[in-house]
Amino acid sequence: MKQHSNKMINLAPSRKPFTLRLSLCVACALGLSSSAAFSAEESTSQVSGAFSQARQLDSSAISSDTETQQRVAELHQQATVLSASAAITQKVTREQMMALHQKEATTKESQQQRVLAQQNQVVYYDFSFYGADSFLLEDNDYDGFHQTFSVTFDADINSSAGDIQSDVFAELYLSQDGGPWIHYYSTDVFSLYSNSGDDDYEVLTTLASGYQTDHYDVLIDLYELGYADPVATISSDESNALYALPLESSDRDAVYVEEIYIETEHSGGALSWLTAGLLMMVAGFRRRLINKK
């Protein structure tokens, strides 16, 4: 078993892709190509005390430190509003989410999506993750455990058929110290273009409640729209950047101000007699000086 440490390691992504399966299908000039609109917008979601904001990145979407701080502040405002009205939700495991997608794949809508894809283009291709990164962003009490972090990943389509586009979405999970994978975010549908390096996807997350101070691994399942099973997966097994993130929810990241009280103890009677004696000595000393004059 891996030994967790307080230090998060970010490694440059390997050129070797992480591939889950080879699928006969499609690519997607679905009449759903309007899904590209999702990539230009940010979405916010809350699952089991985790609030996330996501967006697809391009060369113009790289954030400066100031912009990142502004986005974190916006996420906190949204989390505050959503927390006030959100019902308490049970944490959902990866197995439960996969079963849900299996059920959804049998719906009429999903079947139509698959038929449309196959009518447009039938080629052999598969999906892979080129890499993933994580960034620790907010630690108010400076204990080394962060309430806000981001995960950025680059997924690709691999095919010898030339340029291919596909509409996909991702499910993100956290595992506390080697425990079960717990779902914390579902992305919107976004588009992949072959093995483009200009379609990274970023998920910014604040853990508001329910997450103990510990080390968490990250797993990402990529789904092709309309299909039941993940088409690619990347986790802490493949990327050190997704391994042992020191995290805690914001209710454990409070800053405590220690107040210092100085209490002076004295004995009232003893102090009074001492003061009176000193005054008498001063008075006697003055009389002597006057008599000498």
Side-chain angles (χ1 to χ4, degrees):
M1 176 180 289
K2 295 178 180 177
Q3 296 294 321
H4 285 179
S5 66
N6 288 343
K7 182 177 180 181
M8 183 193 70
I9 305 174
N10 280 328
L11 296 183
S14 168
R15 292 298 301 180
K16 181 179 179 181
F18 309 112
T19 304
L20 183 67
R21 70 172 176 89
L22 181 68
S23 61
L24 171 63
C25 28
V26 139
C28 289
L30 301 180
L32 299 170
S33 58
S34 60
S35 64
F38 286 104
S39 65
E41 298 177 357
E42 294 182 353
S43 62
T44 304
S45 176
Q46 182 266 338
V47 179
S48 301
F51 294 84
S52 298
Q53 185 185 87
R55 62 176 180 168
Q56 193 166 12
L57 300 178
D58 55 34
S59 57
S60 64
I62 305 302
S63 298
S64 66
D65 291 342
T66 301
E67 290 170 333
T68 299
Q69 291 173 3
Q70 181 177 355
R71 292 186 62 225
V72 170
E74 292 173 354
L75 180 59
H76 276 290
Q77 292 176 353
Q78 293 166 342
T80 300
V81 172
L82 291 173
S83 294
S85 59
I88 297 176
T89 59
Q90 277 191 326
K91 292 184 177 180
V92 179
T93 66
R94 185 185 182 212
E95 290 74 18
Q96 291 171 322
M97 285 299 297
M98 294 176 76
L100 177 62
H101 287 304
Q102 289 281 350
K103 183 177 180 180
E104 289 177 346
T106 63
T107 64
K108 185 177 180 180
E109 180 182 1
S110 292
Q111 292 170 355
Q112 289 174 343
Q113 289 169 351
R114 291 196 296 273
V115 169
L116 283 172
Q118 291 168 352
Q119 288 175 349
N120 280 286
Q121 192 174 7
V122 179
V123 294
Y124 288 99
Y125 68 91
D126 64 359
F127 295 83
S128 65
F129 281 98
Y130 173 66
D133 280 310
S134 61
F135 302 92
L136 301 173
L137 298 175
E138 194 173 22
D139 175 19
N140 290 338
D141 58 7
Y142 299 101
D143 65 349
F145 292 85
H146 296 68
Q147 61 169 294
T148 302
F149 68 103
S150 69
V151 171
T152 303
F153 57 89
D154 179 11
D156 293 325
I157 307 173
N158 309 304
S159 173
S160 60
D163 292 338
I164 296 177
Q165 174 188 340
S166 182
D167 293 313
V168 298
F169 64 93
E171 302 287 7
L172 281 76
Y173 303 87
L174 288 173
S175 169
Q176 180 183 349
D177 195 22
W181 293 109
I182 302 298
H183 180 259
Y184 77 93
Y185 186 67
S186 300
T187 73
D188 284 331
V189 175
F190 60 98
S191 296
L192 293 182
Y193 303 92
S194 297
N195 58 354
S196 170
D198 203 29
D199 55 4
D200 289 10
Y201 203 90
E202 177 195 58
V203 178
L204 176 68
T205 301
T206 286
L207 304 177
S209 62
Y211 291 86
Q212 297 178 356
T213 302
D214 211 333
H215 294 88
Y216 292 80
D217 297 343
V218 178
L219 181 145
I220 307 167
D221 277 335
L222 185 72
Y223 285 84
E224 184 178 13
L225 193 64
Y227 287 82
D229 298 318
V231 295
T233 296
I234 188 171
S235 71
S236 52
D237 289 338
E238 292 83 21
S239 173
N240 281 345
L242 303 181
Y243 170 66
L245 275 62
L247 303 174
E248 63 184 357
S249 48
S250 58
D251 55 359
R252 298 172 181 269
D253 193 32
V255 178
Y256 296 97
V257 179
E258 184 177 355
E259 297 183 1
I260 301 176
Y261 295 91
I262 300 176
E263 183 177 351
T264 303
E265 296 183 1
H266 60 84
S267 173
L271 183 61
S272 299
W273 282 108
L274 179 59
T275 303
L278 290 173
L279 291 175
M280 292 175 65
M281 289 175 62
V282 171
F285 183 71
R286 290 185 64 187
R287 288 196 191 97
R288 291 174 186 169
L289 290 177
I290 293 172
N291 291 336
K292 287 181 178 179
K293 291 178 180 180

